[in-house]
Amino acid sequence: MTSETARLFRSLHIPSDPLVLANAWDVASARLVEDAGAAAIATTSAGVAWSLGAPDGDRLGRELAVDLIARIARVTTVPVTADIEGGYADTPGGVTETVAAVVAAGAAGINIEDGPRPPEEVVPRIAAARAASDEVFVNARIDTFLRGLGGVPETLERAAAYIAAGADGIFVPGATDPAVIAALVEGIDAPVNVMAHPGAPSVKELAGLGVARVSVGSGISQAAYAVVRESARELFSTGTYSRLEDSVDYGTLNDLLTSRI
């Protein structure tokens, strides 16, 4: 990662004109996302873990995760931000090592989540991530809504603590109610990231609420795997191939990767 790339990625977080991220999980998906017009590439930890044979939830080894980031960064020309789950480490010192490796691999940003950990254990991990690099954009994910651990007041309390520890942005997946999102934007002194999915407000609506970053998490990878499942079921049950009709052209996909070797 260069300083210029880091500054560019940071500048893309604009309230009311959000950075929109279609999360990728491997090199080919990253190139497809870039070719579609992405301003930056974000990985999805779940999609990455599944593609590498591991379940989501801090079960993927650091080395595999870092290698995937390096592969994506080498073939894309826009900033890359890496979802590193809880930091792929048992200690804050290990988190520093992870983030340093991810930055060395080419990432301009990271996501680090609290998940089941209490805030008092997460704050030193955020600080450890910050200690690894002054330039990397640290997006702290708060899972209060995903895990039913509290509403807006608890989320705001955690956000303030994480920002004080060095977080640059706050990600609150699971918050989709416009009134809740507006309260989060109002109460958090940093760019707010929300996760979009079918049934959530549109990007335009989220922009109107002051959101600075919109991502789709593992959604696109899940949709891709649905094609795998349904195509296989059709093939084995009826011997037909209709699910393959909307596939990406072979030459198009091959050229996207050949052009960056």
Side-chain angles (χ1 to χ4, degrees), residues 87-119:
Y88 300 125
D90 295 328
T91 65
V95 172
T96 298
E97 293 175 1
T98 297
V99 176
V102 168
V103 170
I110 62 160
N111 270 22
I112 185 165
E113 64 195 52
D114 52 13
R117 296 182 178 90

Short mmCIF file of all heavy atoms in Angstrom, two decimals, residues 87-119:
data_model
loop_
_atom_site.label_atom_id
_atom_site.label_comp_id
_atom_site.label_asym_id
_atom_site.label_seq_id
_atom_site.Cartn_x
_atom_site.Cartn_y
_atom_site.Cartn_z
N GLY A 87 -9.20 -10.32 13.80
CA GLY A 87 -7.78 -10.01 13.77
C GLY A 87 -6.89 -11.22 13.56
O GLY A 87 -5.67 -11.09 13.53
N TYR A 88 -7.49 -12.41 13.44
CA TYR A 88 -6.73 -13.64 13.24
C TYR A 88 -5.59 -13.77 14.25
O TYR A 88 -4.45 -14.10 13.91
CB TYR A 88 -6.16 -13.71 11.81
CG TYR A 88 -7.22 -13.70 10.73
CD1 TYR A 88 -7.20 -12.75 9.71
CD2 TYR A 88 -8.27 -14.62 10.74
CE1 TYR A 88 -8.17 -12.74 8.72
CE2 TYR A 88 -9.25 -14.61 9.76
CZ TYR A 88 -9.20 -13.66 8.75
OH TYR A 88 -10.17 -13.64 7.78
N ALA A 89 -5.90 -13.49 15.51
CA ALA A 89 -4.89 -13.55 16.56
C ALA A 89 -5.59 -13.65 17.91
O ALA A 89 -6.71 -13.16 18.09
CB ALA A 89 -4.00 -12.32 16.52
N ASP A 90 -4.88 -14.25 18.88
CA ASP A 90 -5.43 -14.40 20.23
C ASP A 90 -5.15 -13.21 21.11
O ASP A 90 -5.80 -13.02 22.14
CB ASP A 90 -4.86 -15.67 20.89
CG ASP A 90 -5.29 -16.95 20.19
OD1 ASP A 90 -6.42 -16.97 19.65
OD2 ASP A 90 -4.50 -17.91 20.17
N THR A 91 -4.16 -12.41 20.74
CA THR A 91 -3.74 -11.29 21.58
C THR A 91 -3.68 -10.00 20.77
O THR A 91 -3.58 -10.03 19.54
CB THR A 91 -2.33 -11.56 22.15
OG1 THR A 91 -1.39 -11.60 21.07
CG2 THR A 91 -2.30 -12.88 22.92
N PRO A 92 -3.71 -8.84 21.44
CA PRO A 92 -3.54 -7.58 20.72
C PRO A 92 -2.24 -7.52 19.93
O PRO A 92 -2.20 -7.00 18.81
CB PRO A 92 -3.57 -6.53 21.84
CG PRO A 92 -4.45 -7.15 22.88
CD PRO A 92 -4.09 -8.61 22.86
N GLY A 93 -1.16 -8.06 20.50
CA GLY A 93 0.10 -8.08 19.77
C GLY A 93 -0.01 -8.85 18.47
O GLY A 93 0.57 -8.47 17.44
N GLY A 94 -0.77 -9.94 18.51
CA GLY A 94 -1.00 -10.71 17.30
C GLY A 94 -1.81 -9.94 16.28
O GLY A 94 -1.60 -10.09 15.06
N VAL A 95 -2.73 -9.11 16.74
CA VAL A 95 -3.52 -8.28 15.84
C VAL A 95 -2.61 -7.29 15.11
O VAL A 95 -2.74 -7.06 13.90
CB VAL A 95 -4.64 -7.53 16.60
CG1 VAL A 95 -5.33 -6.53 15.67
CG2 VAL A 95 -5.66 -8.51 17.16
N THR A 96 -1.65 -6.71 15.84
CA THR A 96 -0.69 -5.81 15.21
C THR A 96 0.06 -6.52 14.10
O THR A 96 0.26 -5.98 13.00
CB THR A 96 0.30 -5.26 16.26
OG1 THR A 96 -0.42 -4.51 17.25
CG2 THR A 96 1.33 -4.35 15.60
N GLU A 97 0.47 -7.75 14.37
CA GLU A 97 1.19 -8.53 13.35
C GLU A 97 0.31 -8.80 12.14
O GLU A 97 0.77 -8.71 10.99
CB GLU A 97 1.65 -9.85 13.96
CG GLU A 97 2.72 -9.69 15.04
CD GLU A 97 3.06 -11.02 15.71
OE1 GLU A 97 2.48 -12.06 15.31
OE2 GLU A 97 3.88 -11.02 16.64
N THR A 98 -0.96 -9.14 12.38
CA THR A 98 -1.89 -9.39 11.27
C THR A 98 -2.06 -8.16 10.41
O THR A 98 -1.96 -8.22 9.17
CB THR A 98 -3.25 -9.85 11.81
OG1 THR A 98 -3.11 -11.09 12.49
CG2 THR A 98 -4.25 -10.02 10.67
N VAL A 99 -2.33 -7.03 11.05
CA VAL A 99 -2.58 -5.80 10.29
C VAL A 99 -1.33 -5.37 9.53
O VAL A 99 -1.41 -4.95 8.37
CB VAL A 99 -3.09 -4.68 11.21
CG1 VAL A 99 -3.26 -3.37 10.43
CG2 VAL A 99 -4.42 -5.09 11.84
N ALA A 100 -0.18 -5.50 10.15
CA ALA A 100 1.06 -5.16 9.45
C ALA A 100 1.24 -6.02 8.21
O ALA A 100 1.66 -5.53 7.15
CB ALA A 100 2.25 -5.32 10.40
N ALA A 101 0.91 -7.31 8.33
CA ALA A 101 1.04 -8.21 7.19
C ALA A 101 0.04 -7.88 6.10
O ALA A 101 0.36 -7.92 4.90
CB ALA A 101 0.85 -9.66 7.65
N VAL A 102 -1.18 -7.52 6.49
CA VAL A 102 -2.22 -7.17 5.53
C VAL A 102 -1.86 -5.89 4.78
O VAL A 102 -2.05 -5.77 3.57
CB VAL A 102 -3.59 -7.04 6.23
CG1 VAL A 102 -4.62 -6.40 5.33
CG2 VAL A 102 -4.08 -8.41 6.69
N VAL A 103 -1.32 -4.92 5.51
CA VAL A 103 -0.89 -3.67 4.88
C VAL A 103 0.27 -3.94 3.93
O VAL A 103 0.31 -3.41 2.80
CB VAL A 103 -0.51 -2.64 5.95
CG1 VAL A 103 0.17 -1.42 5.32
CG2 VAL A 103 -1.75 -2.20 6.73
N ALA A 104 1.22 -4.76 4.36
CA ALA A 104 2.34 -5.11 3.49
C ALA A 104 1.86 -5.83 2.24
O ALA A 104 2.48 -5.73 1.17
CB ALA A 104 3.34 -5.97 4.24
N ALA A 105 0.74 -6.55 2.34
CA ALA A 105 0.17 -7.26 1.19
C ALA A 105 -0.53 -6.32 0.22
O ALA A 105 -0.88 -6.72 -0.89
CB ALA A 105 -0.81 -8.33 1.67
N GLY A 106 -0.76 -5.07 0.64
CA GLY A 106 -1.34 -4.09 -0.26
C GLY A 106 -2.66 -3.49 0.15
O GLY A 106 -3.24 -2.69 -0.59
N ALA A 107 -3.18 -3.82 1.33
CA ALA A 107 -4.48 -3.30 1.75
C ALA A 107 -4.38 -1.87 2.26
O ALA A 107 -3.45 -1.52 3.00
CB ALA A 107 -5.08 -4.19 2.84
N ALA A 108 -5.34 -1.04 1.87
CA ALA A 108 -5.42 0.34 2.35
C ALA A 108 -6.37 0.48 3.51
O ALA A 108 -6.43 1.54 4.16
CB ALA A 108 -5.86 1.25 1.21
N GLY A 109 -7.15 -0.57 3.77
CA GLY A 109 -8.11 -0.53 4.86
C GLY A 109 -8.32 -1.92 5.43
O GLY A 109 -7.98 -2.92 4.80
N ILE A 110 -8.87 -1.96 6.64
CA ILE A 110 -9.24 -3.23 7.26
C ILE A 110 -10.60 -3.08 7.94
O ILE A 110 -10.99 -1.99 8.34
CB ILE A 110 -8.21 -3.70 8.30
CG1 ILE A 110 -8.10 -2.68 9.46
CG2 ILE A 110 -6.86 -3.99 7.67
CD1 ILE A 110 -7.52 -3.25 10.71
N ASN A 111 -11.30 -4.19 8.07
CA ASN A 111 -12.43 -4.31 8.96
C ASN A 111 -12.01 -5.21 10.11
O ASN A 111 -11.43 -6.28 9.88
CB ASN A 111 -13.62 -5.00 8.26
CG ASN A 111 -14.53 -4.01 7.57
OD1 ASN A 111 -14.13 -2.91 7.26
ND2 ASN A 111 -15.75 -4.43 7.32
N ILE A 112 -12.28 -4.82 11.33
CA ILE A 112 -12.04 -5.68 12.48
C ILE A 112 -13.29 -5.64 13.35
O ILE A 112 -13.83 -4.57 13.63
CB ILE A 112 -10.77 -5.26 13.25
CG1 ILE A 112 -10.48 -6.26 14.38
CG2 ILE A 112 -10.85 -3.84 13.76
CD1 ILE A 112 -9.08 -6.13 14.96
N GLU A 113 -13.78 -6.81 13.73
CA GLU A 113 -15.08 -6.90 14.40
C GLU A 113 -14.97 -7.23 15.88
O GLU A 113 -13.99 -7.85 16.32
CB GLU A 113 -15.92 -7.98 13.71
CG GLU A 113 -15.35 -9.37 13.82
CD GLU A 113 -15.99 -10.35 12.84
OE1 GLU A 113 -16.04 -10.05 11.63
OE2 GLU A 113 -16.43 -11.42 13.30
N ASP A 114 -15.99 -6.81 16.64
CA ASP A 114 -16.00 -7.19 18.05
C ASP A 114 -16.62 -8.58 18.25
O ASP A 114 -16.15 -9.38 19.04
CB ASP A 114 -16.67 -6.14 18.94
CG ASP A 114 -18.05 -5.69 18.52
OD1 ASP A 114 -18.67 -6.36 17.65
OD2 ASP A 114 -18.54 -4.68 19.04
N GLY A 115 -17.66 -8.89 17.46
CA GLY A 115 -18.27 -10.22 17.56
C GLY A 115 -18.71 -10.51 18.98
O GLY A 115 -19.36 -9.69 19.62
N PRO A 116 -18.35 -11.68 19.52
CA PRO A 116 -18.79 -12.03 20.86
C PRO A 116 -17.95 -11.41 21.97
O PRO A 116 -18.27 -11.54 23.15
CB PRO A 116 -18.64 -13.56 20.88
CG PRO A 116 -17.49 -13.82 19.95
CD PRO A 116 -17.64 -12.78 18.85
N ARG A 117 -16.85 -10.75 21.61
CA ARG A 117 -15.96 -10.20 22.63
C ARG A 117 -16.58 -8.97 23.29
O ARG A 117 -17.16 -8.12 22.62
CB ARG A 117 -14.61 -9.81 22.02
CG ARG A 117 -13.80 -10.96 21.47
CD ARG A 117 -12.46 -10.47 20.95
NE ARG A 117 -11.64 -11.56 20.44
CZ ARG A 117 -11.67 -11.99 19.18
NH1 ARG A 117 -12.47 -11.39 18.31
NH2 ARG A 117 -10.91 -13.00 18.80
N PRO A 118 -16.42 -8.80 24.59
CA PRO A 118 -16.89 -7.59 25.26
C PRO A 118 -16.03 -6.40 24.85
O PRO A 118 -14.85 -6.57 24.49
CB PRO A 118 -16.73 -7.92 26.75
CG PRO A 118 -15.66 -8.96 26.80
CD PRO A 118 -15.83 -9.77 25.55
N PRO A 119 -16.59 -5.19 24.91
CA PRO A 119 -15.85 -4.01 24.45
C PRO A 119 -14.49 -3.83 25.11
O PRO A 119 -13.53 -3.39 24.47
CB PRO A 119 -16.80 -2.85 24.79
CG PRO A 119 -18.14 -3.47 24.82
CD PRO A 119 -17.96 -4.87 25.32
#
